[in-house]
């Protein structure tokens, strides 16, 4: 019996069960906003939860600096205009010819693996609302924090396809601009 208890204790320590301190390292839940998530395939910081914390979304621990679209296709309407559904926007981009070379921000997100996508503008606003706890957890884990700069959403402007929406992470304002370079963080559901 003592041996079984020792094995269980070692197993719990190995998977990092530290309830309440945001240092979970394996899936299972329940999770809360700010928890570190790593299921072996996806790693990120939880920025929204539902179903009692057993499901939600994570934001990637890494970032890149990318164009939303290359200048040759800036004016092409992509119809990726959802404000709340980044995965839907991502799927619309993936249907376009040469999407990986023409839409670098989306390609970078996809390069992280299955299920990663560029967040829609409302998802990005939610990340901003939780930025302080996300940054604290990123810092504790040795990753770079969100900068006080622009971060792309996947939401193209409905009225002007030359533009897409971003959030300026210093103050949380959403703006639209030409599809030039901004920072990019990917999002995935769990």
């Amino acid at each position: 019996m003592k041996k079984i208890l020792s094995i269980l204790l070692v197993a719990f320590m190995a998977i990092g069960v530290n309830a309440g301190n945001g240092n979970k390292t394996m899936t299972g839940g329940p999770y809360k906003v700010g928890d570190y998530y790593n299921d072996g395939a996806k790693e990120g910081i939880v920025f929204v939860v539902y179903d009692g914390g057993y499901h939600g979304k994570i934001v990637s621990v890494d970032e890149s600096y990318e164009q939303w679209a290359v200048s040759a296709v800036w004016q092409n309407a992509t119809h990726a205009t959802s404000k709340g559904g980044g995965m839907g926007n991502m799927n619309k981009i993936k249907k376009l010819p040469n999407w990986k070379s023409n839409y670098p921000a989306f390609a970078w997100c996809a390069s992280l693996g299955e299920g990663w996508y560029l967040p829609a503008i409302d998802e990005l606003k939610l990340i901003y609302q939780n930025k302080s706890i996300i940054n604290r957890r990123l810092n504790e884990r040795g990753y770079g924090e969100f900068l006080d700069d622009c971060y792309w959403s996947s939401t193209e402007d409905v009225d002007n396809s030359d533009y897409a929406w971003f959030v300026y992470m210093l103050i949380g304002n959403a703006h639209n601009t030409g599809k030039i370079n901004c920072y990019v963080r990917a999002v995935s559901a769990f």
Side-chain angles (χ1 to χ4, degrees):
M1 181 69 167
K2 191 174 183 181
K3 186 174 183 177
I4 292 172
L5 288 175
S6 295
I7 291 170
L8 288 173
L9 180 61
V10 169
F12 281 119
M13 290 172 50
I15 62 171
V17 176
N18 293 311
N21 71 2
N23 287 325
K24 288 183 182 79
T25 58
M26 295 301 287
T27 59
Y31 288 92
K32 64 184 184 314
V33 171
D35 278 346
Y36 173 76
Y37 178 95
N38 186 347
D39 68 1
K42 294 179 186 176
E43 178 183 22
I45 307 299
V46 176
F47 73 92
V48 66
V49 294
Y50 41 91
D51 294 337
Y54 288 95
H55 295 95
K57 294 180 184 178
I58 58 174
V59 61
S60 63
V61 295
D62 296 317
E63 65 182 29
S64 189
Y65 191 70
E66 304 287 347
Q67 289 179 292
W68 199 94
V70 297
S71 60
V73 296
W74 273 358
Q75 294 180 335
N76 298 353
T78 65
H79 306 290
T81 56
S82 173
K83 292 184 176 184
M87 180 58 87
N89 289 340
M90 184 80 162
N91 289 335
K92 287 180 180 182
I93 295 294
K94 285 183 173 182
K95 291 178 182 176
L96 299 173
N98 304 311
W99 75 271
K100 285 184 180 179
S101 57
N102 286 335
Y103 301 93
F106 293 86
W108 182 84
C109 292
S111 75
L112 298 181
E114 188 170 336
W116 288 102
Y117 61 92
L118 189 61
I121 191 65
D122 289 347
E123 292 170 309
L124 197 54
K125 288 176 185 177
L126 191 54
I127 290 168
Y128 172 78
Q129 290 172 4
N130 295 302
K131 185 180 92 164
S132 62
I133 193 167
I134 292 168
N135 274 350
R136 187 167 47 250
R137 194 69 68 224
L138 286 167
N139 188 294
E140 289 170 5
R141 291 281 179 176
Y143 295 105
E145 299 177 357
F146 273 87
L147 303 172
D148 292 335
D149 211 322
C150 65
Y151 282 80
W152 276 128
S153 82
S154 61
T155 308
E156 184 175 64
D157 190 314
V158 174
D159 298 321
N160 184 349
S161 62
D162 289 357
Y163 285 60
W165 289 93
F166 70 89
V167 169
Y168 185 56
M169 286 291 177
L170 176 64
I171 53 178
N173 288 356
H175 299 278
N176 60 353
T177 190
K179 300 172 180 176
I180 55 172
N181 286 25
C182 277
Y183 287 94
V184 177
R185 293 251 183 182
V187 164
S188 186
F190 67 88

